[in-house]
Amino acid sequence: MSDFQKYIQRYLDQIPSGSWIEELKKSGEKTIAVYSDLTEGKSLFAYADGKWTLKELLLHLSDTERVFQYRLLVFARGDKAALPGFDEEEYAVHSFANKRSLESLLEEYKAVRKSSQILIESLEPSALKNIGTANGNELTAETVGKLIVGHNYHHLNIIQERYLPGLK
């Protein structure tokens, strides 16, 4: 197994068994529930120096989902253009998430997730099998869709394990 395969497998392993499309909806609902229980002040919590705040993490979820959503669209439509990678740390630095309201970040997340759901539900099963290249690696449109779900669950687990205990 290549390093890239190991990298994506850690996200794919986060998806509970069953329909990954159903888990797209469930992971979104769980994320919204967690963030809806936070106050503005608590959303600025980071569990350690140099780690993202909960606001930055939420915007990271939206940013990453947008990038994955674009990859999914490109691959599903049969476009053979190689897509670049993205530097999540650079995106976070330039996001200014902590200056935004938690409400605005949550509304953005909801809109991005709804857009992903509409796109994925509109695709023919054959389109999910299309292969594309992103960041120098080939993968199917379906795998990119699953990465949206697995990446979200990965960060929900981090929130449960590292952030929420520090807020009590």
Side-chain angles (χ1 to χ4, degrees), residues 101-128:
S101 71
L102 176 59
E103 180 182 354
S104 76
L105 292 167
L106 197 50
E107 285 305 308
E108 181 176 352
Y109 175 83
K110 291 174 187 177
V112 171
R113 178 51 55 99
K114 181 67 174 172
S115 179
S116 291
Q117 287 176 256
I118 292 168
L119 172 62
I120 291 167
E121 290 171 358
S122 75
L123 296 174
E124 291 293 322
S126 62
L128 291 171

mmCIF file of all heavy atoms in Angstrom, residues 101-128:
data_model
loop_
_atom_site.group_PDB
_atom_site.id
_atom_site.type_symbol
_atom_site.label_atom_id
_atom_site.label_comp_id
_atom_site.label_asym_id
_atom_site.label_seq_id
_atom_site.Cartn_x
_atom_site.Cartn_y
_atom_site.Cartn_z
ATOM 1 N N SER A 101 -18.250 35.330 13.175
ATOM 2 C CA SER A 101 -19.142 34.793 14.198
ATOM 3 C C SER A 101 -19.279 33.289 14.007
ATOM 4 O O SER A 101 -19.187 32.781 12.880
ATOM 5 C CB SER A 101 -20.524 35.455 14.125
ATOM 6 O OG SER A 101 -21.223 35.020 12.973
ATOM 7 N N LEU A 102 -19.502 32.608 15.112
ATOM 8 C CA LEU A 102 -19.740 31.174 15.043
ATOM 9 C C LEU A 102 -20.963 30.898 14.173
ATOM 10 O O LEU A 102 -20.971 29.956 13.378
ATOM 11 C CB LEU A 102 -19.922 30.597 16.447
ATOM 12 C CG LEU A 102 -20.264 29.114 16.535
ATOM 13 C CD1 LEU A 102 -19.189 28.259 15.874
ATOM 14 C CD2 LEU A 102 -20.466 28.713 17.993
ATOM 15 N N GLU A 103 -21.970 31.725 14.303
ATOM 16 C CA GLU A 103 -23.185 31.552 13.516
ATOM 17 C C GLU A 103 -22.898 31.598 12.007
ATOM 18 O O GLU A 103 -23.402 30.774 11.252
ATOM 19 C CB GLU A 103 -24.206 32.634 13.878
ATOM 20 C CG GLU A 103 -25.505 32.527 13.118
ATOM 21 C CD GLU A 103 -26.481 33.637 13.460
ATOM 22 O OE1 GLU A 103 -26.219 34.442 14.372
ATOM 23 O OE2 GLU A 103 -27.523 33.697 12.786
ATOM 24 N N SER A 104 -22.061 32.541 11.580
ATOM 25 C CA SER A 104 -21.762 32.640 10.148
ATOM 26 C C SER A 104 -20.974 31.424 9.655
ATOM 27 O O SER A 104 -21.206 30.929 8.554
ATOM 28 C CB SER A 104 -21.011 33.930 9.819
ATOM 29 O OG SER A 104 -19.650 33.859 10.194
ATOM 30 N N LEU A 105 -20.060 30.929 10.482
ATOM 31 C CA LEU A 105 -19.283 29.745 10.115
ATOM 32 C C LEU A 105 -20.170 28.510 10.037
ATOM 33 O O LEU A 105 -20.002 27.667 9.150
ATOM 34 C CB LEU A 105 -18.149 29.519 11.118
ATOM 35 C CG LEU A 105 -17.051 30.574 11.105
ATOM 36 C CD1 LEU A 105 -16.161 30.427 12.329
ATOM 37 C CD2 LEU A 105 -16.235 30.504 9.826
ATOM 38 N N LEU A 106 -21.112 28.417 10.954
ATOM 39 C CA LEU A 106 -22.027 27.278 10.956
ATOM 40 C C LEU A 106 -22.967 27.339 9.759
ATOM 41 O O LEU A 106 -23.233 26.312 9.123
ATOM 42 C CB LEU A 106 -22.802 27.244 12.273
ATOM 43 C CG LEU A 106 -23.503 25.954 12.637
ATOM 44 C CD1 LEU A 106 -22.588 24.748 12.536
ATOM 45 C CD2 LEU A 106 -24.069 26.060 14.047
ATOM 46 N N GLU A 107 -23.438 28.514 9.412
ATOM 47 C CA GLU A 107 -24.291 28.662 8.225
ATOM 48 C C GLU A 107 -23.519 28.285 6.957
ATOM 49 O O GLU A 107 -24.059 27.648 6.061
ATOM 50 C CB GLU A 107 -24.832 30.087 8.121
ATOM 51 C CG GLU A 107 -25.934 30.381 9.106
ATOM 52 C CD GLU A 107 -27.097 29.399 9.032
ATOM 53 O OE1 GLU A 107 -27.637 29.175 7.931
ATOM 54 O OE2 GLU A 107 -27.476 28.840 10.078
ATOM 55 N N GLU A 108 -22.260 28.659 6.901
ATOM 56 C CA GLU A 108 -21.435 28.303 5.750
ATOM 57 C C GLU A 108 -21.263 26.786 5.660
ATOM 58 O O GLU A 108 -21.405 26.196 4.585
ATOM 59 C CB GLU A 108 -20.069 28.977 5.844
ATOM 60 C CG GLU A 108 -19.158 28.671 4.670
ATOM 61 C CD GLU A 108 -17.847 29.420 4.710
ATOM 62 O OE1 GLU A 108 -17.667 30.316 5.569
ATOM 63 O OE2 GLU A 108 -16.990 29.104 3.877
ATOM 64 N N TYR A 109 -20.962 26.168 6.791
ATOM 65 C CA TYR A 109 -20.816 24.706 6.805
ATOM 66 C C TYR A 109 -22.095 24.031 6.310
ATOM 67 O O TYR A 109 -22.042 23.111 5.495
ATOM 68 C CB TYR A 109 -20.463 24.222 8.222
ATOM 69 C CG TYR A 109 -20.427 22.713 8.316
ATOM 70 C CD1 TYR A 109 -19.292 22.012 7.945
ATOM 71 C CD2 TYR A 109 -21.545 21.994 8.729
ATOM 72 C CE1 TYR A 109 -19.267 20.624 7.993
ATOM 73 C CE2 TYR A 109 -21.531 20.621 8.786
ATOM 74 C CZ TYR A 109 -20.395 19.931 8.415
ATOM 75 O OH TYR A 109 -20.376 18.564 8.441
ATOM 76 N N LYS A 110 -23.244 24.483 6.814
ATOM 77 C CA LYS A 110 -24.516 23.896 6.398
ATOM 78 C C LYS A 110 -24.729 24.033 4.890
ATOM 79 O O LYS A 110 -25.194 23.093 4.233
ATOM 80 C CB LYS A 110 -25.678 24.569 7.135
ATOM 81 C CG LYS A 110 -25.750 24.262 8.604
ATOM 82 C CD LYS A 110 -26.858 25.096 9.250
ATOM 83 C CE LYS A 110 -26.889 24.969 10.741
ATOM 84 N NZ LYS A 110 -27.921 25.831 11.361
ATOM 85 N N ALA A 111 -24.397 25.182 4.339
ATOM 86 C CA ALA A 111 -24.576 25.415 2.902
ATOM 87 C C ALA A 111 -23.649 24.536 2.069
ATOM 88 O O ALA A 111 -24.058 23.947 1.062
ATOM 89 C CB ALA A 111 -24.351 26.891 2.576
ATOM 90 N N VAL A 112 -22.408 24.425 2.509
ATOM 91 C CA VAL A 112 -21.445 23.581 1.793
ATOM 92 C C VAL A 112 -21.894 22.122 1.841
ATOM 93 O O VAL A 112 -21.884 21.413 0.837
ATOM 94 C CB VAL A 112 -20.014 23.754 2.371
ATOM 95 C CG1 VAL A 112 -19.059 22.728 1.796
ATOM 96 C CG2 VAL A 112 -19.506 25.168 2.101
ATOM 97 N N ARG A 113 -22.332 21.664 3.010
ATOM 98 C CA ARG A 113 -22.775 20.272 3.145
ATOM 99 C C ARG A 113 -24.010 20.008 2.290
ATOM 100 O O ARG A 113 -24.107 18.981 1.621
ATOM 101 C CB ARG A 113 -23.034 19.944 4.616
ATOM 102 C CG ARG A 113 -23.540 18.534 4.902
ATOM 103 C CD ARG A 113 -22.706 17.410 4.255
ATOM 104 N NE ARG A 113 -21.324 17.423 4.572
ATOM 105 C CZ ARG A 113 -20.739 16.661 5.489
ATOM 106 N NH1 ARG A 113 -21.447 15.809 6.196
ATOM 107 N NH2 ARG A 113 -19.433 16.743 5.684
ATOM 108 N N LYS A 114 -24.951 20.930 2.296
ATOM 109 C CA LYS A 114 -26.152 20.766 1.474
ATOM 110 C C LYS A 114 -25.767 20.677 0.001
ATOM 111 O O LYS A 114 -26.299 19.843 -0.747
ATOM 112 C CB LYS A 114 -27.127 21.927 1.724
ATOM 113 C CG LYS A 114 -28.409 21.819 0.943
ATOM 114 C CD LYS A 114 -29.238 20.647 1.417
ATOM 115 C CE LYS A 114 -30.594 20.631 0.740
ATOM 116 N NZ LYS A 114 -31.334 19.409 1.040
ATOM 117 N N SER A 115 -24.839 21.502 -0.414
ATOM 118 C CA SER A 115 -24.365 21.480 -1.790
ATOM 119 C C SER A 115 -23.723 20.134 -2.133
ATOM 120 O O SER A 115 -23.949 19.582 -3.216
ATOM 121 C CB SER A 115 -23.365 22.620 -2.007
ATOM 122 O OG SER A 115 -22.867 22.622 -3.304
ATOM 123 N N SER A 116 -22.945 19.591 -1.205
ATOM 124 C CA SER A 116 -22.332 18.272 -1.429
ATOM 125 C C SER A 116 -23.411 17.200 -1.577
ATOM 126 O O SER A 116 -23.323 16.342 -2.458
ATOM 127 C CB SER A 116 -21.412 17.890 -0.263
ATOM 128 O OG SER A 116 -20.274 18.693 -0.227
ATOM 129 N N GLN A 117 -24.402 17.246 -0.702
ATOM 130 C CA GLN A 117 -25.475 16.253 -0.755
ATOM 131 C C GLN A 117 -26.208 16.314 -2.099
ATOM 132 O O GLN A 117 -26.461 15.277 -2.718
ATOM 133 C CB GLN A 117 -26.462 16.470 0.387
ATOM 134 C CG GLN A 117 -25.922 16.068 1.728
ATOM 135 C CD GLN A 117 -26.886 16.385 2.844
ATOM 136 O OE1 GLN A 117 -26.707 17.350 3.585
ATOM 137 N NE2 GLN A 117 -27.908 15.576 2.974
ATOM 138 N N ILE A 118 -26.534 17.508 -2.540
ATOM 139 C CA ILE A 118 -27.246 17.658 -3.808
ATOM 140 C C ILE A 118 -26.397 17.127 -4.959
ATOM 141 O O ILE A 118 -26.898 16.399 -5.825
ATOM 142 C CB ILE A 118 -27.651 19.132 -4.034
ATOM 143 C CG1 ILE A 118 -28.727 19.542 -3.022
ATOM 144 C CG2 ILE A 118 -28.134 19.351 -5.469
ATOM 145 C CD1 ILE A 118 -28.986 21.042 -2.973
ATOM 146 N N LEU A 119 -25.122 17.487 -4.980
ATOM 147 C CA LEU A 119 -24.234 17.012 -6.042
ATOM 148 C C LEU A 119 -24.157 15.488 -6.036
ATOM 149 O O LEU A 119 -24.372 14.844 -7.071
ATOM 150 C CB LEU A 119 -22.830 17.601 -5.878
ATOM 151 C CG LEU A 119 -21.763 17.034 -6.822
ATOM 152 C CD1 LEU A 119 -22.101 17.320 -8.279
ATOM 153 C CD2 LEU A 119 -20.389 17.580 -6.454
ATOM 154 N N ILE A 120 -23.861 14.908 -4.902
ATOM 155 C CA ILE A 120 -23.670 13.459 -4.821
ATOM 156 C C ILE A 120 -24.945 12.709 -5.172
ATOM 157 O O ILE A 120 -24.914 11.725 -5.916
ATOM 158 C CB ILE A 120 -23.116 13.071 -3.438
ATOM 159 C CG1 ILE A 120 -21.672 13.580 -3.318
ATOM 160 C CG2 ILE A 120 -23.196 11.567 -3.210
ATOM 161 C CD1 ILE A 120 -21.099 13.541 -1.921
ATOM 162 N N GLU A 121 -26.063 13.178 -4.673
ATOM 163 C CA GLU A 121 -27.333 12.503 -4.959
ATOM 164 C C GLU A 121 -27.749 12.633 -6.422
ATOM 165 O O GLU A 121 -28.542 11.824 -6.907
ATOM 166 C CB GLU A 121 -28.424 13.038 -4.034
ATOM 167 C CG GLU A 121 -28.211 12.598 -2.592
ATOM 168 C CD GLU A 121 -29.136 13.278 -1.602
ATOM 169 O OE1 GLU A 121 -29.948 14.147 -1.997
ATOM 170 O OE2 GLU A 121 -29.036 12.943 -0.398
ATOM 171 N N SER A 122 -27.199 13.611 -7.124
ATOM 172 C CA SER A 122 -27.557 13.803 -8.532
ATOM 173 C C SER A 122 -26.719 12.961 -9.491
ATOM 174 O O SER A 122 -27.049 12.851 -10.666
ATOM 175 C CB SER A 122 -27.399 15.279 -8.914
ATOM 176 O OG SER A 122 -26.028 15.628 -9.053
ATOM 177 N N LEU A 123 -25.649 12.378 -8.994
ATOM 178 C CA LEU A 123 -24.728 11.649 -9.864
ATOM 179 C C LEU A 123 -25.227 10.240 -10.179
ATOM 180 O O LEU A 123 -25.760 9.549 -9.307
ATOM 181 C CB LEU A 123 -23.344 11.558 -9.220
ATOM 182 C CG LEU A 123 -22.621 12.889 -9.007
ATOM 183 C CD1 LEU A 123 -21.340 12.662 -8.226
ATOM 184 C CD2 LEU A 123 -22.345 13.592 -10.328
ATOM 185 N N GLU A 124 -25.018 9.850 -11.408
ATOM 186 C CA GLU A 124 -25.285 8.471 -11.804
ATOM 187 C C GLU A 124 -24.211 7.578 -11.181
ATOM 188 O O GLU A 124 -23.044 8.000 -11.074
ATOM 189 C CB GLU A 124 -25.246 8.340 -13.328
ATOM 190 C CG GLU A 124 -26.394 9.022 -14.040
ATOM 191 C CD GLU A 124 -27.721 8.354 -13.752
ATOM 192 O OE1 GLU A 124 -27.764 7.111 -13.660
ATOM 193 O OE2 GLU A 124 -28.723 9.090 -13.601
ATOM 194 N N PRO A 125 -24.552 6.360 -10.802
ATOM 195 C CA PRO A 125 -23.541 5.460 -10.226
ATOM 196 C C PRO A 125 -22.311 5.292 -11.121
ATOM 197 O O PRO A 125 -21.192 5.187 -10.615
ATOM 198 C CB PRO A 125 -24.297 4.142 -10.056
ATOM 199 C CG PRO A 125 -25.729 4.561 -9.875
ATOM 200 C CD PRO A 125 -25.896 5.770 -10.768
ATOM 201 N N SER A 126 -22.495 5.295 -12.419
ATOM 202 C CA SER A 126 -21.354 5.143 -13.323
ATOM 203 C C SER A 126 -20.388 6.314 -13.214
ATOM 204 O O SER A 126 -19.172 6.139 -13.353
ATOM 205 C CB SER A 126 -21.830 4.982 -14.767
ATOM 206 O OG SER A 126 -22.541 6.135 -15.185
ATOM 207 N N ALA A 127 -20.895 7.520 -12.941
ATOM 208 C CA ALA A 127 -20.034 8.695 -12.815
ATOM 209 C C ALA A 127 -19.136 8.599 -11.589
ATOM 210 O O ALA A 127 -18.023 9.136 -11.587
ATOM 211 C CB ALA A 127 -20.871 9.966 -12.758
ATOM 212 N N LEU A 128 -19.602 7.900 -10.550
ATOM 213 C CA LEU A 128 -18.799 7.743 -9.343
ATOM 214 C C LEU A 128 -17.580 6.851 -9.576
ATOM 215 O O LEU A 128 -16.636 6.879 -8.786
ATOM 216 C CB LEU A 128 -19.658 7.182 -8.209
ATOM 217 C CG LEU A 128 -20.718 8.127 -7.666
ATOM 218 C CD1 LEU A 128 -21.658 7.392 -6.710
ATOM 219 C CD2 LEU A 128 -20.084 9.327 -6.969
#
